[in-house]
Amino acid sequence: MAAPALALDGVGKGFSDGRRYLPVLENFDLAVAPGEVVAVCGPSGSGKSTLLNLIAGLLAVDDGRLTLREGDMVHPMHGLAPAARAAVRRRLVGYVFQFFNLVPTLNVLENVRLPLALNRRDDLAPRALERLEALGLGDVLHAFPDTLSGGERQRVAIARAVAHEPAIVLADEPTGNLDPGNSDRVAGLLFSEVERLNCAMVIATHSEAIARRADRIVELDC
Amino acid sequence: MRLVALGFARFFARTPWTTLTALLGVSLGVASTVAVHLISLSVAGSLEANRAPHLGGLTHLAERRGATMSDYFELRRRWRGGELPDVLGLVPMVDGRIVAGGRRFHVSGADWLALYGLPGEGRGGGAGSRPGSIVVDAGLLIAEGDRLRLGGEEWPVAGVVDSGVGDGLFADIGDALHILNAPPETLSRVGVAARDPWARLRSWLEALLPGLSAALPEGPAELRFSSGGTSGATGNANVAPADWELRPVSFEQPGARFANSILFNLGALGTLALLVAWFLIYQVSVLWVRRQSPVLESLSVLGASRRELGGCFLLAVASLGALATLVGTVAGVLLAELLSEISTAGLEAAPVPEMSSEVVAKALISGVGIAAVGGWMAFRRWGRPVSRSLFTAGRLISCALALATIAVGVGMEETGLAGGFAAILAAALLTVSLVGPLLRAARRLAVAAPGGLLTRLAVREATWFEDDVGTALGALVLAVATSVGVGLMVDSFKIDFERMLAQRLAHDFYVESPGGNLSAMTRSFAEARPQARSQAYGNLRTRIDGRIVEVGHTDFSRAEAARYGHGAALLPDEGLASESLLRALNVDIGETVDAGGAPVRIAGAFSDFGGVVPRLLMQNETAARHFGVLHFTGLGVSGISRSALEDRLAAVAPGAGVRQRDRARARALEIFDRSFAITNALTLLALTVAVVGLYNAMMGLRLNRLATRELLASLGLTAAENRHIELVRALGLGLLAVLLALPLGLAMGAILCGVINPRAFGWSVAMSLPASALALPVALGFAAAVIAAVAPSPAERVHAS
């Protein structure tokens, strides 16, 4: 196996409600190779979203080691300050949410160019435009999110997640808010984009159909 | 429904920062109302205490050439016979001038018994002129308890009032006749207490806010003073066709109208913070309703009626208003004391009155009222589509009404102060109603905003969320515009005032001797100090067309006349009129007035800011011809040292005071600044409430942008980039506020300078556009937006990364 794009080694994370500490992940290990897709399944509250947020550096790990790799460069995320984690995240991670999460004040093209602007990678803009065309969004480039359908919005979200060609794509229930027809189409596009970029993907899902398309399934228990 | 109400209460508790800012905003609004009311009561108390005692309870004065006491008795017989139905009482009065102990006195006497029992009698703060004692004007510099020897007898001074007459001495009519050495048949005028058709409204308005009744006409517009019909009214002067000439008693008290106008202006400005607070509570309620919308919808599905839900919401909001009232009332008392301290700068002033049930009720109505009305209006919007159209019938009608109010209020002088302030209010509401359309227009422009993607995002966010920021932006527009308008007025006024001081204070020193005659000293100077330049000034009081007018006289050479803006030396029988005199007598330059029984041609006009009594200036010779003996009370001296001047004074005019020009100027400016301290404080208070409102709106905006912020965080947005977005958005909002506030502020300034000032005080102020008056409020507007945007909201904070 090639050096993993992402590695979690004995990671623990929990939350406190002010009176007691509630562990969500304990001593959790995971390694995902470039080009590999891992589906994370489990009931609500099992820690799927927490795992994704830890990988993205939106949350800090309590215990263990978490590293992201970019070519030969290894980025340990554990012990980093929020700003340092944000700097790694903006370059290495693409995130797709369940509820589309487009910036309402930016149009389709601008939403997709946002990660390029943050990474100062305007050289990738022509390729991002191509992907938008390929995703069937060529006619709505200057439309604002509130005028798009759910399927269109999620396709924009996918285009944005891969625009800066990240090492890892994280998808949190990316089809959870779509009808079955759109769900299949969006999932197909997401998988094909990840394959095209040969990046790692961790996808949290309740959908057996999507989980079956992954290279590996990780089950989380409550 | 108890559970629903409990749910709302818990919602407030779970959004403590939003609730606290709403509480703070409404509390500040209530505090401003309470403070202004208490200060106004204090000023009104001083005013009442200084009312000339012989005028208490009177509304008019009736005069007839050659009238005697027999005429008064005849008039009284007709009144008692029912011929004068609108008259409540008649009081015989005498007045005249005497010189005693080297001082001049204007003696006024009224029948104390006839005054007794009239409505408003005794409003002279206990300084009434009872038989056997006298009351004197503060201008005479005589203390209460002193004794004066007049007409061969000693008279105890029972009280001192600042009636504006200057050398007034008030006594019972019998005593006045004795002091004047006049025959018992003498009668100067008859005081009339008439039924005031505005009495109830006047008293209601005064209870609402002291000074507010200044917006009403002075006394009865028309008075039936003869059985033959109504008198013909000319403005406020009522002329009885039969044989008596009637004038409003306010002619005798120019200072009272002046002070009432100040109170009215203060009250109008004081309500501003309350209006801004109303915007705040409305905006907070809109936010709460929107955030509670899913709950409301669930409850609606469960069968709760709109009325029940609305009732519970209003109960919760009104409870918040009640709490704010409590906090605001206590803060208002403290604020009143602070403002009183600022405006008097440690000088003796009437104490701030104790809290009364009236003030508490007003605070409660303000706090709970605006909370309930704001909450109700916000709740009304829930579940109903909001029209975004610029041209709805309601909007067009509102605009037409606002424009009509502005046109009538500004164009028709008869609408008085109320008309002027209604025009300002209409202009403000009209401008605030433009916030929504402006945001929509700006939204279209923001799509093509230049700059980086994050800057564009921030610029668009400033215009995108009308529901979140529209109301708060309106409040900020109002506060900044008021700051611009009031600032323009005060600065323009100050520029005129400084110009006037520079013109008038031409000599190095000014010698004042109110009781003495300085003409001898002038001669003495001319002989002993040929290098010194001196000029003697005299003044006296007379009546022109029934009004008290101060006549100033000196050697009006070309240079002296130039200080009053007149290009040539005054000719015999020519005069310069103060702007307030022209307005009071309704005359223009070139016309003549009857002064001292002979005509004086008005050759020019001058501004006389701060002069309560209308003035007419003339050559010494003209004054001597019209009024007899001249009386010099002031001397301007240049080309001599202070010590030499004081040595000379000790020899010829012991007791005279010397003021240095620079000190006199500094003192005048200090008084000017202090006069506007309360105005500035109230404007600042309104701006503070606006900042709180915008901060609250920003907090709501942050909460509504939670998903966007999470997304931006997932893209690796740093805290610095997030601050950049917040800052650019705040500057965008500040720019929008300033864009609307500047024209409104300029309009407010123009109305204050050109409409309110002439109507309130009789002088117009040439509006200047000093950079400071514009720059400071504009900077404050931007600062308010930035403070509101970047201030942390600990309890409901959302982290960027």
Side-chain angles (χ1 to χ4, degrees):
Chain A
M1 178 178 167
L6 137 77
L8 286 84
D9 183 11
V11 166
K13 180 67 184 175
F15 298 96
S16 172
D17 66 355
R19 283 175 299 179
R20 57 201 175 119
Y21 181 78
L22 304 166
V24 178
L25 291 174
E26 284 181 302
N27 204 21
F28 185 80
D29 297 329
L30 177 69
V32 184
E36 186 184 14
V37 175
V38 173
V40 181
C41 300
S44 297
S46 59
K48 298 188 296 295
S49 295
T50 301
L51 175 62
L52 263 55
N53 286 341
L54 284 172
I55 296 170
L58 288 166
L59 294 175
V61 296
D62 292 344
D63 301 305
R65 296 166 55 81
L66 194 162
T67 53
L68 305 184
R69 178 183 285 272
E70 181 189 26
D72 294 333
M73 189 88 88
V74 175
H75 300 279
M77 298 287 272
H78 51 274
L80 284 187
R85 294 200 304 270
V88 176
R89 177 166 66 247
R90 72 160 66 182
R91 202 165 67 244
L92 298 191
V93 178
Y95 213 131
V96 182
F97 296 89
Q98 177 181 357
F99 294 104
F100 323 131
N101 275 20
L102 301 180
V103 181
T105 52
L106 298 181
N107 64 29
V108 167
L109 189 58
E110 290 167 335
N111 260 287
V112 174
R113 290 186 67 172
L114 191 55
L116 303 184
L118 289 174
N119 285 295
R120 291 177 173 73
R121 291 296 307 272
D122 285 339
D123 56 303
L124 294 176
R127 212 178 297 172
L129 191 58
E130 277 176 30
R131 299 320 302 158
L132 279 169
E133 299 278 358
L135 290 168
L137 297 166
D139 294 337
V140 291
L141 292 179
H142 298 286
F144 283 89
D146 58 353
T147 63
L148 302 178
S149 69
E152 285 174 324
R153 286 186 213 184
Q154 200 59 310
R155 276 183 278 151
V156 176
I158 290 168
R160 186 186 56 203
V162 299
H164 58 302
E165 301 185 350
I168 300 146
V169 170
L170 303 172
D172 191 357
E173 300 279 6
T175 61
N177 211 37
L178 298 174
D179 60 76
N182 262 316
S183 178
D184 285 347
R185 186 174 178 212
V186 164
L189 290 170
L190 181 60
F191 276 86
S192 70
E193 287 298 307
V194 167
E195 190 179 350
R196 183 181 64 80
L197 292 172
N198 192 35
C199 61
M201 178 161 78
V202 179
I203 181 166
T205 183
H206 285 292
S207 163
E208 281 186 24
I210 290 177
R212 275 200 300 273
R213 297 173 77 153
D215 300 312
R216 190 151 51 102
I217 297 174
V218 174
E219 284 285 349
L220 293 180
D221 300 320
C222 276
Chain B
M1 282 303 108
R2 207 167 61 87
L3 283 176
V4 178
L6 191 65
F8 277 122
R10 281 188 184 152
F11 176 72
F12 292 167
R14 281 171 53 197
T15 53
W17 211 240
T18 312
T19 309
L20 269 177
T21 50
L23 190 70
L24 176 66
V26 179
S27 299
L28 286 175
V30 172
S32 155
T33 315
V34 169
V36 167
H37 191 100
L38 290 176
I39 289 171
S40 300
L41 273 180
S42 160
V43 177
S46 301
L47 190 67
E48 284 300 329
N50 285 318
R51 183 186 284 266
H54 67 300
L55 298 176
L58 301 181
T59 59
H60 292 76
L61 295 173
E63 287 180 2
R64 198 181 71 175
R65 195 176 290 272
T68 64
M69 285 299 278
S70 306
D71 297 305
Y72 161 70
F73 289 121
E74 167 61 15
L75 198 60
R76 193 173 70 169
R77 189 191 61 73
R78 284 169 57 192
W79 166 52
R80 286 184 172 165
E83 287 186 41
L84 310 170
D86 290 334
V87 172
L88 298 173
L90 296 170
V91 180
M93 305 173 85
V94 294
D95 71 342
R97 292 186 175 276
I98 57 161
V99 176
R103 312 176 76 150
R104 293 191 319 164
F105 298 95
H106 184 136
V107 180
S108 298
D111 185 350
W112 179 74
L113 280 174
L115 272 174
Y116 188 77
L118 290 180
E121 190 276 332
R123 285 188 294 183
S129 47
R130 303 292 186 259
S133 65
I134 56 171
V135 170
V136 296
D137 193 278
L140 286 167
L141 304 176
I142 298 170
E144 187 174 337
D146 283 0
R147 299 180 78 83
L148 273 181
R149 187 155 189 85
L150 302 163
E153 280 187 33
E154 288 238 326
W155 302 88
V157 177
V160 179
V161 294
D162 190 3
S163 66
V165 177
D167 55 358
L169 186 152
F170 311 101
D172 178 62
I173 190 165
D175 297 340
L177 287 170
H178 182 79
I179 291 169
L180 290 166
N181 196 25
E185 268 293 293
T186 307
L187 179 78
S188 302
R189 57 183 62 87
V190 175
V192 180
R195 196 170 278 115
D196 181 3
W198 302 102
R200 186 167 290 183
L201 181 59
R202 198 182 299 278
S203 133
W204 186 80
L205 286 176
E206 283 300 306
L208 193 64
L209 187 73
L212 205 57
S213 69
L216 292 177
E218 290 174 32
E222 273 189 24
L223 174 62
R224 290 187 63 194
F225 200 62
S226 74
S227 54
T230 58
S231 64
T234 311
N236 285 321
N238 300 278
V239 181
D243 39 14
W244 291 87
E245 196 174 339
L246 271 178
R247 293 189 189 93
V249 78
S250 60
F251 277 30
E252 299 288 309
Q253 308 179 101
R257 176 77 185 165
F258 183 83
N260 270 334
S261 296
I262 290 175
L263 286 180
F264 180 82
N265 288 347
L266 203 61
L269 194 61
T271 52
L272 177 73
L274 200 62
L275 186 64
V276 177
W278 177 85
F279 273 92
L280 169 64
I281 195 75
Y282 172 70
Q283 171 239 315
V284 167
S285 299
V286 168
L287 179 68
W288 279 335
V289 168
R290 201 135 53 84
R291 287 171 67 185
Q292 284 285 71
S293 194
V295 180
L296 294 174
E297 277 161 20
S298 303
L299 291 169
S300 190
V301 169
L302 287 173
S305 71
R306 196 179 170 88
R307 179 187 289 253
E308 286 168 325
L309 292 174
C312 290
F313 181 72
L314 278 193
L315 185 68
V317 176
S319 304
L320 186 79
L323 187 59
T325 301
L326 198 66
V327 176
T329 306
V330 174
V333 175
L334 298 174
L335 186 66
E337 282 168 7
L338 180 71
L339 290 179
S340 179
E341 182 67 29
I342 291 171
S343 60
T344 54
L347 296 176
E348 194 183 338
V352 173
E354 299 281 317
M355 284 295 290
S356 63
S357 56
E358 207 172 57
V359 179
V360 172
K362 186 173 170 181
L364 205 61
I365 290 168
S366 303
V368 179
I370 61 163
V373 172
W376 173 73
M377 290 185 72
F379 188 82
R380 267 186 57 198
R381 286 175 48 160
W382 172 61
R384 289 180 178 161
V386 179
S387 170
R388 302 278 187 218
S389 169
L390 187 57
F391 300 108
T392 60
R395 196 183 288 272
L396 289 175
I397 290 171
S398 304
C399 285
L401 279 176
L403 289 171
T405 306
I406 295 169
V408 171
V410 171
M412 292 179 64
E413 192 160 349
E414 297 77 13
T415 56
L417 287 179
F421 274 103
I424 285 181
L425 186 65
L429 293 178
L430 189 64
T431 308
V432 167
S433 75
L434 292 176
V435 167
L438 178 76
L439 278 173
R440 273 166 258 152
R443 179 176 169 161
R444 283 193 289 276
L445 289 174
V447 170
L453 206 52
L454 290 185
T455 303
R456 265 185 281 166
L457 187 150
V459 169
R460 286 181 198 172
E461 284 199 345
T463 63
W464 218 266
F465 304 101
E466 185 185 334
D467 287 344
D468 283 309
V469 300
T471 310
L473 201 59
L476 185 62
V477 167
L478 196 59
V480 173
T482 306
S483 187
V484 170
V486 171
L488 275 178
M489 190 270 285
V490 173
D491 282 15
S492 303
F493 195 176
K494 196 165 181 177
I495 288 170
D496 277 12
F497 190 71
E498 283 178 328
R499 198 176 291 146
M500 182 193 82
L501 287 178
Q503 280 180 342
R504 306 288 159 77
L505 298 175
H507 294 283
D508 295 340
F509 300 101
Y510 286 87
V511 181
E512 287 175 346
S513 177
N517 194 323
L518 292 172
S519 49
M521 194 181 145
T522 315
R523 283 193 298 276
S524 156
F525 260 109
E527 293 159 7
R529 299 262 175 184
Q531 78 279 17
R533 287 178 288 108
S534 68
Q535 178 141 5
Y537 298 92
N539 65 66
L540 54 92
R541 297 229 172 177
T542 187
R543 286 175 187 277
I544 298 180
D545 202 13
R547 290 185 183 264
I548 292 178
V549 174
E550 190 172 283
V551 174
H553 57 85
T554 188
D555 174 16
F556 266 103
S557 61
R558 184 189 173 94
E560 185 68 18
R563 289 166 50 200
Y564 294 86
H566 191 62
L570 284 185
L571 300 174
D573 295 329
E574 265 191 356
L576 295 175
S578 70
E579 201 183 350
S580 56
L581 181 66
L582 292 184
R583 290 181 69 84
L585 301 181
N586 196 24
V587 291
D588 277 327
I589 295 169
E591 295 183 30
T592 55
V593 294
D594 188 339
V600 171
R601 181 181 163 274
I602 307 292
F606 63 96
S607 296
D608 190 27
F609 308 123
V612 172
V613 183
R615 295 183 76 201
L616 179 64
L617 306 178
M618 57 184 67
Q619 290 281 16
N620 287 327
E621 296 74 22
T622 309
R625 212 166 35 253
H626 287 240
F627 301 102
V629 179
L630 297 180
H631 187 77
F632 291 96
T633 53
L635 190 68
V637 186
S638 295
I640 188 171
S641 70
R642 183 173 185 128
S643 57
L645 174 64
E646 283 174 344
D647 288 348
R648 194 80 202 156
L649 277 176
V652 294
V658 177
R659 283 191 302 150
Q660 206 162 341
R661 176 176 53 190
D662 293 345
R663 287 199 187 153
R665 185 177 179 280
R667 175 75 180 146
L669 288 174
E670 186 197 337
I671 291 170
F672 181 95
D673 288 338
R674 231 175 34 220
S675 306
F676 286 101
I678 293 179
T679 306
N680 293 335
L682 291 176
T683 310
L684 196 62
L685 195 66
L687 204 58
T688 308
V689 181
V691 172
V692 173
L694 197 62
Y695 170 64
N696 206 302
M698 289 294 186
M699 214 155 47
L701 187 58
R702 276 182 213 162
L703 291 173
N704 286 344
R705 286 181 64 249
L706 206 53
T708 302
R709 296 190 73 186
E710 281 176 351
L711 167 68
L712 293 172
S714 80
L715 292 172
L717 198 78
T718 61
E721 285 164 334
N722 198 51
R723 273 199 300 276
H724 169 78
I725 293 177
E726 298 267 358
L727 195 65
V728 172
R729 192 179 58 209
L731 290 174
L733 285 170
L735 180 67
L736 289 173
V738 165
L739 274 178
L740 281 179
L742 270 182
L744 175 61
L746 288 171
M748 278 183 175
I751 295 175
L752 283 169
C753 288
V755 177
I756 303 282
N757 265 306
R759 289 182 191 176
F761 309 114
W763 61 63
S764 57
V765 175
M767 195 171 91
S768 312
L769 285 175
S772 60
L774 295 176
L776 187 64
V778 166
L780 283 175
F782 277 110
V786 171
I787 289 168
V790 301
S793 46
E796 290 147 60
R797 173 182 271 173
V798 182
H799 292 282
S801 54

